Amino acid sequence: LQKSLKEIFGADKYSRARKEVLTYMFSRPMQMALYFCTGILKDETLFRHYALNVPLYTHFTSPIRRYADIVVHRLLSASLGVGSPIRMEKEDIQKQAEHCNDRKMASKRVQELSADLFFSIFVRVRA
């Protein structure tokens, strides 16, 4: 797929713009990852990562970046016995996860609308 896309992008003055537009269009339909509390969900098949093909998966980055990552770091530390115990019920953790999902989806929507606006302006200027 990557090789085919590289050929489509070309090497002319619009190749970079074509690459950005096509990459965006191909990645847009992908299902977005969601945060959830494992203590709430009983079906462990929901814990898998499709692309990596692993049955149990958790994702986090540096805890300075996002609140959700701070929560994951604290929960992971507590579960490994190296951090303070979490004083939240699983239902409260799930509510936090849902709030993070809502904010992430709202942010993604604004990003998509911004890209659509930029693309419209780009097409109008080039037409």
Side-chain angles (χ1 to χ4, degrees), residues 34-42 47 75 89-95 97-98:
L34 296 175
Y35 297 107
F36 60 90
C37 177
T38 58
I40 297 292
L41 299 178
K42 303 299 179 211
F47 302 174
L75 290 168
E89 297 295 322
K90 58 186 174 188
E91 292 80 13
D92 295 326
I93 295 170
Q94 180 61 29
K95 284 180 187 175
E98 290 168 4

Side-chain angles (χ1 to χ4, degrees), residues 5-42:
L5 286 175
K6 198 169 185 176
E7 291 173 11
I8 291 171
F9 297 152
D12 61 356
K13 65 181 182 177
Y14 298 115
S15 62
R16 181 169 177 240
R18 218 176 1 261
K19 177 182 179 182
E20 288 183 29
V21 169
L22 291 173
T23 301
Y24 173 74
M25 290 175 74
F26 286 126
S27 64
R28 195 173 192 175
M30 290 182 176
Q31 184 179 2
M32 204 158 104
L34 296 175
Y35 297 107
F36 60 90
C37 177
T38 58
I40 297 292
L41 299 178
K42 303 299 179 211

Side-chain angles (χ1 to χ4, degrees), residues 38-75:
T38 58
I40 297 292
L41 299 178
K42 303 299 179 211
D43 183 4
E44 284 193 10
T45 62
L46 297 173
F47 302 174
R48 74 183 305 268
H49 190 288
Y50 178 78
L52 297 176
N53 195 26
V54 293
L56 301 172
Y57 178 82
T58 192
H59 173 80
F60 58 91
T61 59
S62 170
I64 62 170
R65 292 187 56 202
R66 297 179 298 199
Y67 175 72
D69 296 321
I70 293 170
V71 172
V72 172
H73 274 253
R74 289 178 181 169
L75 290 168

